[in-house]
């Protein structure tokens, strides 16, 4: 193995492996170091297994609503263990696909650290590179309260083959709500305790509020403004709300209170600056405070999404993806999605799914689409959706935002097929 590379990447998650494959396809000499399985959190402990389980949960929900269409269907059984095993098969298939992508990359299995040079040390060898990219991701943050060892995190939750009768989830963010949707569909009694005054505090407030109401209708108990103080050995969770102490009984507690960066050894000694939350500080080119060392993905704390990590890797390779227009999706039932671009002033228009023919015809009238625009120009700046196919609707508006389209153009120039949910975009744009 050579001791000098064009690029050395630490971490084979979506940021690391896609950047490695992209660099190798440009003819660069690339080394990729990974201590665990290919695919990182997204493939092994995050997006992919969660999406598999979410799809299984959606089947259950569909069966429960078949009667609305006169289809007499009864849920005979829903074997969660089978869904978990199916997820493992999907993960293996995707991992094999990634290995294929990395044919021209020198893969090294081991724990890498940053060392003098700067260089990368792994398995007792030292390697240098024109560019070193840290793409080591993040891990679940630890809940801070008494009895925290009684709770499991999302990694452990994904290893379960059976769901508990009663599940208490601490944290009403993306992970907490995705698991709440899955467990509730399988019949668990779910309570979500969220510290902030609304779930999904980083999301559009109208969409979060609407989602809370839909999840409530699915039987998920959501308590906002709840400060968890203790988890007892019997898995009951004590919290305070509006100055009063309360508690919720349960069989299992899942902690989903954010994520922390995974910083390779040697970073601080090498002079790589961290921000006050412990994430690696990067400039617009994703370079750290040490020349020649870059950080992409969760570890730099800019945006904890798989596609953001890959896009940041493309920046290091000299491409110009629009990081300012970053869509995000929450795979609850129904799903939520959002995209927006910074703007000095925005106005918005909201449209319920019930105003759309396809939504009514397909029994998907639970939903809300909100489009944001600049009042002076009508230029579209954002879209936030809760409801069926939210992610696909937001993808359409992402294209409109990156092309600086106006609401008028969306309403009058673009022809959306009828009857489709995408007509909601034109309907909303036409209503201003
Ligand atoms: P998050 O930041 O989305 O949500 C954590 C929630 O926990 C917040 O609402 C916070 O207010 C709450 N919280 C924190 N401490 C609490 C406490 N002591 N008691 C009660 N509530 C508390 O974090 P997450 O859900 O762990 O997700 C981590 C990251 O991973 C996010 O940035 C998310 O975007 C990303 N992610 C994305 C996807 C996706 O794109 N579909 C899926 C999973 C995770």
């Amino acid at each position: 193995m050579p001791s000098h590379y064009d690029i050395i990447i630490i971490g084979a998650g979506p940021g690391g492996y896609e950047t490695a494959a992209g660099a190798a396809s440009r003819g660069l000499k690339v080394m990729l170091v990974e201590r665990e399985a290919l695919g990182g959190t997204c493939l092994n402990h995050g997006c992919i297994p969660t999406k598999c389980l979410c799809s299984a949960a959606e089947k259950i929900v569909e069966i429960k609503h078949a009667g609305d269409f006169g289809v007499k269907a009864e849920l005979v059984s829903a074997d969660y263990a089978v869904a978990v095993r199916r997820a493992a098969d999907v993960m293996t298939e995707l991992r094999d696909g990634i290995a294929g992508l990395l044919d021209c990359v020198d893969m090294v299995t081991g724990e890498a650290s940053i060392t003098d040079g700067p260089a990368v040390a792994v398995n007792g060898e030292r390697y240098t590179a024109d560019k070193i990219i840290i793409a080591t991701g993040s891990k679940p943050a630890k809940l801070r309260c008494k009895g925290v060892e009684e709770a499991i995190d999302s990694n452990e939750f994904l290893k379960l083959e059976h769901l508990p009768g009663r599940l208490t989830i601490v944290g009403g963010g993306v992970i907490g709500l995705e698991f709440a949707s899955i467990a509730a569909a399988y019949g668990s009694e779910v309570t979500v305790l969220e510290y902030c005054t609304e779930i999904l505090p980083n999301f559009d407030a109208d969409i979060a509020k609407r989602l809370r109401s839909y999840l409530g209708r699915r039987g998920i108990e959501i308590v906002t403004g709840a400060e968890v103080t203790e988890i007892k050995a019997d898995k009951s969770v004590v919290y305070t709300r509006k100055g009063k102490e309360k508690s919720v009984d349960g069989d299992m507690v899942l902690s989903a209170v954010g994520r922390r960066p995974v910083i390779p050894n040697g970073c601080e000694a090498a002079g790589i600056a961290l921000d006050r939350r412990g994430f690696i500080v990067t400039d617009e080119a994703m370079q750290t405070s040490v020349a020649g060392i870059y950080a992409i993905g969760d570890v730099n704390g800019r945006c904890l999404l798989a596609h953001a990590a890959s896009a940041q890797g493309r920046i290091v390779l000299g491409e110009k993806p629009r990081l300012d227009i970053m869509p995000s999706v929450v795979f609850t039932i129904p799903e939520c999605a959002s995209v927006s671009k910074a703007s000095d002033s925005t106005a918005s228009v909201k449209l319920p799914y019930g105003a759309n023919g396809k939504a009514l015809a397909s029994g998907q009238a639970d939903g809300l689409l909100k489009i944001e625009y600049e009042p002076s120009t009508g230029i579209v700046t954002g879209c936030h959706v809760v409801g069926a196919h939210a992610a696909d609707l937001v993808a359409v508006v992402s294209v409109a935002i990156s092309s600086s389209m106006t609401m008028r153009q969306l309403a009058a120039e673009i022809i959306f097929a009828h009857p489709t949910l995408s007509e909601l975009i034109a309907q909303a744009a036409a209503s201003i």
Side-chain angles (χ1 to χ4, degrees), residues 164-186:
R166 295 168 304 171
L167 173 67
T168 305
I169 301 178
V170 184
V174 182
I175 294 179
L177 296 179
E178 289 184 348
F179 287 141
S181 284
I182 293 166
Y186 276 90

Side-chain angles (χ1 to χ4, degrees), residues 204 340 346-348 370-374 379-384:
D204 178 85
S340 62
T346 53
S348 66
K370 177 173 173 180
I371 299 192
E372 292 169 338
Y373 59 97
E374 279 175 5
I379 288 176
V380 182
T381 58
C383 182
H384 312 280

Side-chain angles (χ1 to χ4, degrees), residues 10 16 25 32-33 62 65 70 72 94 132 166 171 182 233-234 241 249 254 260 271 317 331 337 342 369 385 390:
I10 307 173
S25 72
L32 177 60
V33 191
E62 271 172 35
H65 287 94
K72 208 171 171 190
L94 288 171
I132 294 169
R166 295 168 304 171
I182 293 166
D234 65 358
R241 185 169 191 272
D249 292 337
L254 167 66
R260 291 289 163 263
L317 297 183
F331 294 101
L369 174 134
V385 185

Side-chain angles (χ1 to χ4, degrees), residues 150-151 168 231-237 248-253:
E150 300 295 338
T168 305
I231 304 173
K232 299 207 162 154
D234 65 358
K235 310 294 180 197
S236 60
V237 180
V248 53
D249 292 337
D251 305 311
M252 183 181 283
V253 182

Side-chain angles (χ1 to χ4, degrees), residues 143 171 173-175 178 193-196 201 256-259 304-305 329:
L143 178 64
V174 182
I175 294 179
E178 289 184 348
L193 301 175
E194 165 57 46
Y195 179 77
C196 293
V257 293
R259 297 185 65 88
L304 280 73
L305 297 170
V329 184

Side-chain angles (χ1 to χ4, degrees), residues 11 23 30 61 78 100 106 122 126 136 159 166 173 200 205 215 225 233 251 254 268 326 393:
V30 185
V61 173
D106 284 351
V122 56
R126 180 177 179 278
T136 44
K159 289 185 198 139
R166 295 168 304 171
L200 292 179
L215 295 180
D251 305 311
L254 167 66
E268 286 185 68
M326 188 65 69
L393 298 177

